[in-house]
Amino acid sequence: MKELMTIVRVAVGLIVVAAVGVSIAACGSTPSGSPAQPMYDQFDRDWQYWMAQHPEVAVSLGVPGGEGRWTDYSADAIATRATYVRESLERIKFVDRATLGEADQLNYDLYRQLLETAVEGLDLQNDAIPIRGVTARNLMMPMNQMEGMQQDIPRTIALMPTQSTADLSHIVTRLRGIPAVVDQTIALMRQGIVEKMTPPRIVLRDLPGQVLAQVVDEPLSSPMLAAFVTRPSGVPESEWPGLVEQATASYRQQVAVAFRRMHAFLVDEYLPACRDSIGANALPRGDALYQYNAKWHTTTAKTPKEIHDIGVAEVARIRAEMEKVIAQAGYANRFDDFVRFLRTDRRFYYTDANALVSGYRDVAKRADPELAKLFGRLPGTPYGVIRVPDAVAPSQTTAYYEPGSLVAGRPGYMFANTYKLDARPKYEMEALTLHEAVPGHHLQIAIAQELTGLPEFRKHSSYTAYVEGWALYAERLGEQMGFYKDPYSRFGQLTYEMWRAVRLVVDTGLHSMGWTRQQAIDFFLKNTAKTQQDITVEVDRYIVWPGQALGYKMGEIKLRELRTAAEAQLGTAFDIRSFHDEILASGAVPLDVVETRVKSWIER
């Protein structure tokens, strides 16, 4: 998942939070006068506050009240949010944990941990907000090839309702607010230059093009104005021309001008000032920043060196499994030859983008009926497979998932990258679809969103080790679902598992051990069958998201360990559907909480 993808992308000022309209009942319920009531009151107030402060997130979750606004990244607004999260931490400490029931003690522990992590992030210049886990985009580095206003803006507008005059008016208002978003982003990046907080220049090579790709000669051809091409049935015919005129005028006079201004800033001022170094440890307080990220994304206290060594061991283990598959395919002891064959033989690649997307859809629909064998509970939110937007495809990963919202009537989507079809091998498609769609991200996230009786923050938490660990674990479930029948797709599944093991080695190498970018690329090439395009994009991703890539394998290792223990202890009483339902029943949580829950389930 693309953080979200899995990480949350947020681009405002303080408003009356009641406008968001999330009731206490929606955040979990507790009897009046209960010792837990003050805690639930705080959950409700804080959730409303953060939805108001970050209306883009509210749009993605289907929460009303933020229509037409963008997050305010002025210095005053940033300071106000920092004060709020610090005060929120102090408020939660007044709750007497000892008086709470077991379930509410867990709610307390998780929320306090989120707040403590967010406050710690403030000292590292993160705009750390305790929603969907902790969103830790560094304020001084708000844009890179993977994230930023060039992606946040069109994505948010694409998620907005479009059925009424009011809906379209809100889009116009948001279009008119884009210049402020651009100017605030530029101000933060200029501050980053002064404080020597910039991304490496090499990974930003596509960023100016991403920005300029949002500028088109004909406004109605822009994806941001897609809602104004055909009149919705809910918009009176008499009002339609005026709305279209407002939208096109806003695009020409404000949106296009603002994006051109950002492009000029990037080319003339920002990229020349960006650093040549690669690792996070080259930044001010870089070692502390990396330790913070590693702890958050893995939900463990393991050091970068310990994680690196785990990665080395996993690479060796998976390499042995790969050698067995290579032997089955008739390439015994010829790893390099087999990988070269996979990278170059045209039978493994589509020549038509629509056919590639259809191929992913076929895998997804073959997976759907198998879910009932592995899960007792399935989500009600549907999902689909669509293309990655062309404007960002060259710098994006092979695929990613974007959550839907049953409340807003919006499905989840797996986005498939159709850029450079010769870099998208067929033998990886089964594993990737199971990861991004079902039984991976869509199944887990949609179930979490649909849980009842939990505070709202629990339904939308995004601990990387849990969310991505589950999706990697889900890839292996393909063996029980009838996938990986030929040695090529089986090798593709192992390639994806190897990819995540390599991440442990490469991410820690880049950010704490002085590895070069080329060293990381070469390690990838040596141990996986992924194409040069994929590997380069992946390494550049790890460079700008220090620590995020560590959560996948660390989470999957723990889930496999827990399943093995449950199977050994329960023997013939082990029920795979019940086990999976237990893993998914609490939403995303830290790995130690998962372990405690599974041990309790085994005892029951």
Side-chain angles (χ1 to χ4, degrees), residues 95-265:
V95 175
D96 186 353
R97 185 185 183 280
T99 65
L100 303 176
E102 182 179 352
D104 282 330
Q105 285 185 343
L106 178 59
N107 289 332
Y108 173 91
D109 292 342
L110 292 175
Y111 198 61
R112 179 164 174 170
Q113 181 192 56
L114 285 176
L115 294 171
E116 290 172 342
T117 303
V119 168
E120 184 182 355
L122 295 175
D123 295 333
L124 296 168
Q125 297 182 314
N126 285 347
D127 187 28
I129 55 175
I131 54 177
R132 287 190 173 180
V134 174
T135 300
R137 180 183 292 181
N138 190 280
L139 283 166
M140 302 299 100
M141 296 183 288
M143 288 182 72
N144 56 57
Q145 82 281 11
M146 300 296 298
E147 62 184 343
M149 48 77 58
Q150 82 282 10
Q151 298 186 34
D152 296 337
I153 287 173
R155 180 182 299 107
T156 298
I157 292 175
L159 295 178
M160 294 176 67
T162 61
Q163 300 306 305
S164 69
T165 298
D167 291 340
L168 298 187
S169 295
H170 291 320
I171 294 177
V172 170
T173 301
R174 269 216 166 99
L175 292 171
R176 292 171 176 167
I178 288 173
V181 176
V182 168
D183 291 342
Q184 290 175 352
T185 303
I186 289 174
L188 288 171
M189 294 164 85
R190 282 184 172 140
Q191 185 178 348
I193 293 173
V194 172
E195 300 188 21
K196 301 188 183 305
M197 292 289 290
T198 66
R201 185 183 307 108
I202 182 64
V203 300
L204 302 186
R205 59 192 177 279
D206 293 331
L207 184 57
Q210 290 181 2
V211 171
L212 201 58
Q214 303 298 336
V215 179
V216 295
D217 293 332
E218 173 48 54
L220 291 179
S221 68
S222 167
M224 286 184 270
L225 270 64
F228 298 89
V229 174
T230 303
R231 179 176 66 87
S233 59
V235 176
E237 191 171 348
S238 60
E239 297 177 0
W240 176 245
L243 289 167
V244 174
E245 182 180 355
Q246 291 174 44
T248 54
S250 297
Y251 182 87
R252 286 194 180 98
Q253 298 168 15
Q254 293 161 304
V255 178
V257 173
F259 273 93
R260 288 192 184 98
R261 183 162 66 251
M262 174 58 80
H263 178 264
F265 166 74

Side-chain angles (χ1 to χ4, degrees), residues 323-447:
E323 297 287 359
K324 294 178 184 177
V325 175
I326 293 172
Q328 293 171 6
Y331 283 78
N333 301 318
R334 293 165 59 190
F335 182 90
D336 292 342
D337 290 343
F338 187 66
V339 167
R340 189 178 304 109
F341 162 63
L342 293 179
R343 287 174 179 156
T344 58
D345 194 294
R346 301 319 307 158
R347 81 180 77 173
F348 297 121
Y349 300 88
Y350 285 99
T351 57
D352 176 76
N354 291 330
L356 174 65
V357 175
S358 294
Y360 279 117
R361 289 172 178 163
D362 175 68
V363 175
K365 293 313 165 189
R366 284 193 285 127
D368 283 344
E370 300 300 319
L371 298 176
K373 301 174 184 178
L374 298 173
F375 302 90
R377 174 175 185 162
L378 296 173
T381 306
Y383 74 98
V385 181
I386 58 178
R387 292 171 62 161
V388 172
D390 291 341
V392 298
S395 297
Q396 276 298 348
T397 52
T398 307
Y400 59 85
Y401 172 74
E402 191 167 278
S405 169
L406 199 59
V407 173
R410 188 179 66 247
Y413 282 111
M414 171 183 168
F415 285 79
N417 199 330
T418 58
Y419 173 75
K420 279 196 172 183
L421 293 175
D422 59 358
R424 316 296 172 195
K426 295 177 182 178
Y427 54 81
E428 295 181 353
M429 292 174 65
E430 290 183 344
L432 186 54
T433 306
L434 301 187
H435 181 106
E436 300 294 348
V438 294
H441 283 323
H442 176 72
L443 185 142
Q444 180 265 308
I445 292 172
I447 285 178

Side-chain angles (χ1 to χ4, degrees), residues 56 202 307 348 391 436 526 578 594:
E56 302 89 344
I202 182 64
I307 294 171
F348 297 121
E436 300 294 348
K526 179 181 177 182
S578 179
V594 180

